[in-house]
Amino acid sequence: ALSLVVTSAMVSLMANSLGTATRIIQMSQLTDELRKSMSMMTRDVRRANYNVNAAFCYANSDCGIDGSATQFADIAITGGNCFTYGLDRDFDGNAATDSAGGFRRVATAGIGRIEMWIGDNAPNCSATNNANWVAVTDPDFVDVTTFTVSDANSFAESVEGEAGSTITQRTRQIDVVLAGRLIRDNNITREIHDTIKARNDVISKT
């Protein structure tokens, strides 16, 4: 009887230990999945509005408005859960024919996922069954419950140019919140935050 009690206690302890180890592994997997998506967003948003012809800005303060370095599409946020931007992916400096980028959250059968735009034309946040939107997160593993995007912390500064003109330089800071839970265990959840600064400011002249 004493041996049975001791054995039962040991089995219970081992089961609890194994359960705890499994939960820790699942938490790590969920965190890795969300951070992978955030890392992809950070990489692309930092390069938003990039133009290979920016080299012509050397010793030319008007490069962003005189045509020598064409301004690409600005970061646009739609509905708070999708954002798009222009990007010189092929390094030709042509904003009219170049690629765009974007990320959004969509849900199918109540399971949310993050998708990335890989097409060459302007992304449509509301497009369905479009092959240019590809999944970044695995809906069989994680349910993305929250994806919010805000540029409330972006700011602009203006200076007076020649002939009474005004040159405005806008710095973009994108705040992203991403949260998800495991499909196999809804009690395992994670939420991460990041602030991404686009390295290429938008310049306009009035």
Side-chain angles (χ1 to χ4, degrees), residues 33 36 106-115 134-144 181-184:
E33 185 81 0
K36 176 189 70 176
V106 295
T108 302
I111 304 299
R113 67 183 181 274
I114 298 297
E115 293 185 339
V134 297
V136 174
T137 58
D138 183 356
D140 293 328
F141 175 70
V142 59
D143 173 19
V144 177
R181 60 187 178 186
L182 285 183
I183 297 296
R184 67 185 69 175

Side-chain angles (χ1 to χ4, degrees), residues 7-39:
T7 302
S8 299
M10 290 178 62
V11 170
S12 178
L13 180 60
M14 291 179 62
N16 288 336
S17 298
L18 290 174
T20 300
T22 300
R23 187 176 179 86
I24 291 173
I25 292 173
Q26 291 175 339
M27 288 180 178
S28 298
Q29 290 174 333
L30 176 58
T31 301
D32 288 345
E33 185 81 0
L34 296 179
R35 290 200 178 280
K36 176 189 70 176
S37 302
M38 187 70 79
S39 177

Side-chain angles (χ1 to χ4, degrees), residues 91-135:
F91 305 102
D92 67 352
N94 188 347
T97 62
D98 260 298
S99 301
F103 288 88
R104 70 177 183 176
R105 177 189 177 272
V106 295
T108 302
I111 304 299
R113 67 183 181 274
I114 298 297
E115 293 185 339
M116 177 183 182
W117 178 267
I118 59 171
D120 294 329
N121 54 341
N124 182 354
C125 285
S126 60
T128 58
N129 300 321
N130 190 319
N132 288 318
W133 284 110
V134 297

